[in-house]
Amino acid sequence: MREDVFLQRKEFFVLDALRCLRHDNSQNQCSKCINICDINALGIFKKKITLDTELCTNCGECIGSCPTESLSLESFDMSGFILDFVQKDKTSVVDGVDVPTFGMFDAHHIVSILLRKKSDIEFVTTSHTKETMSKYINDKIDTANEFLEQLNLPYRAKSVFKETTTDTKKRGLLKNIFTITKEIKTDENASKQLKKLEKYVPPKLTLLKNSLKLISEDLNVENIKTVKGLIANKEIDFQACTNCGECAHFCPTEALFRTSENDGIFFQSGKCIGCGVCKMVCEPNAITSPATVDLTRFMFDQADLLVHYDYHTCNECKTAFAYKGRGDICDRCLTYKDDFADMFVMAKDL
Ligand code: SF4
Ligand code: SF4
């Protein structure tokens, strides 16, 4: 494996290690791309994701699995492909012909196609499709359909198998991989803007929200169940939270962010990628994941104030602390008092 390089590439395939969840948090265990790559071209070196350029074949099969879109094939933009595809009179996507590989899809892409097409869509695997890729696309289709079902919409994705010739496959693959995707509509521009920000919202999430907005008048649901890998929600326990801000600091997308006065924490479900980093870094385990989420707040990027604290001065140490209605003494002094209560009693008795 190579040394720690941020932008690693093999011809068209690019790994932007700065975007990887492991970059800012060495404790992060995300291995989604590593698990998909069956030739072990991706691995961990010094706790960071690394690409072995000797082994990588440019296949792109790991791309859709990455929650942060750290992986890409240059000249093939998935958001661009989808916006182009939905304009066409087609209701099937063929692996290796319409897209270089089904491994580039995440559930967000499938839902976005269904919402924009307003029809059923077939994902066609062929004799060239690897078994791992068939399984992968089926899992993503299941996730997408679970979401559509919750929206009470009738469109579904399904996977079908069809024979195809090697020539067809190669022609399609080459045509697509060398196509410089057109500058398409606001979704693309929004994605580019977001890429410049330090905190990064993956374009597939923006595409999904924009697709939902397009059909928002047809939607008659408010709260829906969260769907793993697609839409998440967070809550913070007021009493347990110490307002340390670690969750907001480490959240890769700024879905959790602090108030301007640092006296509370907001959450925006429309930016959450469900990576679990916040829960991992929260020492008092104050963060939970409710089973439902408000769809309107998700698609219109509305933020909720999860916790807000007034600051009081501690009677013992005289420093400011987040007041929780338990008297004017901070958590640290309270713990200290509890831990050493016996000692104080003994000292008094002397
Ligand atoms: S899937 Fe993405 S976030 Fe996860 S290890 Fe690979 S590059 Fe990092
Ligand atoms: S809120 Fe938590 S789960 Fe959601 S993106 Fe931020 S760190 Fe990840």
Side-chain angles (χ1 to χ4, degrees):
M1 289 287 166
R2 281 168 40 165
E3 276 292 336
D4 184 15
V5 179
F6 294 143
L7 219 58
Q8 301 166 36
R9 70 170 66 233
K10 173 69 182 285
E11 294 157 11
F12 311 116
F13 179 73
V14 183
L15 158 63
D16 182 350
L18 277 177
R19 300 252 186 261
C20 171
L21 289 172
R22 288 178 177 261
H23 181 263
D24 285 335
N25 193 326
S26 58
Q27 304 302 316
N28 196 287
Q29 298 292 311
C30 181
S31 300
K32 290 176 190 281
C33 57
I34 298 172
N35 295 342
I36 288 231
C37 179
D38 54 11
I39 51 166
N40 299 325
L42 287 156
I44 304 296
F45 183 79
K46 292 186 183 169
K47 296 189 175 171
K48 300 276 193 287
I49 189 83
T50 357
L51 176 71
D52 189 325
T53 49
E54 296 292 314
L55 291 177
C56 176
T57 60
N58 262 304
C59 69
E61 288 176 359
C62 54
I63 290 174
S65 66
C66 177
T68 58
E69 292 190 66
S70 306
L71 314 164
S72 57
L73 272 187
E74 238 169 37
S75 304
F76 194 94
D77 172 78
M78 275 305 279
S79 302
F81 161 75
I82 286 163
L83 296 171
D84 208 18
F85 177 81
V86 296
Q87 306 292 332
K88 293 180 182 159
D89 191 21
K90 278 183 79 172
T91 51
S92 63
V93 187
V94 184
D95 180 40
V97 175
D98 295 308
V99 289
T101 164
F102 275 170
M104 296 187 74
F105 278 97
D106 201 346
H108 306 66
H109 301 122
I110 301 174
V111 172
S112 298
I113 293 181
L114 291 165
L115 293 180
R116 286 169 187 254
K117 274 281 196 191
K118 294 191 175 183
S119 71
D120 291 351
I121 299 290
E122 282 184 350
F123 285 80
V124 183
T125 56
T126 71
S127 40
H128 300 288
T129 306
K130 283 189 204 166
E131 213 180 305
T132 45
M133 283 296 104
S134 292
K135 186 178 175 316
Y136 176 84
I137 198 68
N138 276 317
D139 286 349
K140 296 296 171 189
I141 286 173
D142 287 348
T143 305
N145 285 343
E146 185 187 338
F147 186 65
L148 264 289
E149 199 172 320
Q150 292 212 57
L151 302 185
N152 294 328
L153 293 173
Y155 334 117
R156 295 290 181 270
K158 71 170 178 183
S159 136
V160 294
F161 175 82
K162 285 184 188 159
E163 288 291 346
T164 188
T165 65
T166 312
D167 281 356
T168 317
K169 176 182 160 79
K170 278 190 179 153
R171 268 205 312 275
L173 180 74
L174 291 174
K175 183 174 135 257
N176 280 305
I177 202 162
F178 290 113
T179 299
I180 304 295
T181 315
K182 295 171 220 151
E183 292 286 320
I184 306 173
K185 303 181 185 75
T186 47
D187 304 67
E188 256 288 71
N189 293 330
S191 304
K192 282 185 180 152
Q193 290 302 315
L194 288 165
K195 277 180 190 169
K196 288 179 197 150
L197 301 175
E198 195 188 324
K199 297 276 186 172
Y200 170 75
V201 178
K204 59 188 170 192
L205 197 50
T206 306
L207 181 73
L208 173 63
K209 286 180 288 185
N210 286 349
S211 305
L212 283 165
K213 281 178 211 155
L214 287 176
I215 56 133
S216 57
E217 286 185 359
D218 301 342
L219 295 172
N220 56 7
V221 284
E222 283 174 16
N223 277 319
I224 59 162
K225 278 194 259 166
T226 55
V227 178
K228 198 167 186 282
L230 201 61
I231 180 166
N233 197 6
K234 298 289 162 218
E235 263 173 14
I236 298 181
D237 180 336
F238 177 83
Q239 291 299 340
C241 172
T242 59
N243 196 28
C244 67
E246 288 293 281
C247 55
H249 178 73
F250 282 104
C251 174
T253 61
E254 227 167 43
L256 285 164
F257 59 97
R258 302 191 87 178
T259 56
S260 52
E261 302 291 321
N262 284 346
D263 55 2
I265 296 167
F266 279 104
F267 174 70
Q268 228 174 315
S269 57
K271 286 186 174 175
C272 180
I273 54 170
C275 63
V277 166
C278 51
K279 276 188 172 185
M280 204 175 76
V281 297
C282 178
E283 271 194 39
N285 290 325
I287 301 177
T288 51
S289 305
T292 58
V293 62
D294 184 313
L295 189 64
T296 309
R297 298 190 79 71
F298 167 79
M299 67 179 146
F300 289 103
D301 272 325
Q302 287 164 341
D304 294 304
L305 185 61
L306 295 191
V307 282
H308 177 264
Y309 297 98
D310 289 329
Y311 271 77
H312 285 201
T313 303
C314 173
N315 282 342
E316 296 286 330
C317 66
K318 309 297 177 210
T319 54
F321 74 101
Y323 181 69
K324 296 178 186 174
R326 297 195 300 242
D328 275 346
I329 182 161
C330 71
D331 280 351
R332 209 173 33 159
C333 289
L334 209 56
T335 314
Y336 185 80
K337 258 187 143 178
D338 287 349
D339 288 353
F340 295 96
D342 289 351
M343 225 169 71
F344 287 129
V345 171
M346 275 174 0
K348 212 168 67 185
D349 291 345
L350 281 177

XYZ file of all heavy atoms in Angstrom, residues 176 178 274 295 336:
43
model
N -19.918 5.413 -22.472
C -20.284 6.104 -21.241
C -19.093 6.643 -20.471
O -19.131 7.726 -19.931
C -21.078 5.157 -20.335
C -22.509 5.095 -20.785
O -23.157 6.106 -20.896
N -22.977 3.907 -21.092
N -16.225 7.639 -21.488
C -15.542 8.784 -22.079
C -16.460 9.977 -22.294
O -16.036 11.019 -22.736
C -14.877 8.389 -23.406
C -13.704 7.481 -23.193
C -13.728 6.170 -23.617
C -12.573 7.947 -22.532
C -12.646 5.337 -23.396
C -11.487 7.102 -22.306
C -11.524 5.802 -22.740
N -25.888 9.300 8.141
C -26.042 8.124 9.009
C -24.742 7.384 9.282
O -24.747 6.183 9.513
N -40.323 14.170 6.923
C -39.899 14.191 5.519
C -39.739 15.618 4.985
O -38.795 15.915 4.250
C -40.916 13.415 4.668
C -40.517 13.170 3.232
C -39.287 12.282 3.134
C -41.666 12.549 2.447
N -17.241 15.202 41.534
C -16.146 15.228 42.494
C -16.681 15.068 43.914
O -16.203 14.270 44.694
C -15.402 16.559 42.342
C -14.173 16.674 43.199
C -12.969 16.082 42.807
C -14.210 17.373 44.402
C -11.843 16.192 43.604
C -13.093 17.484 45.205
C -11.911 16.896 44.794
O -10.808 16.995 45.582
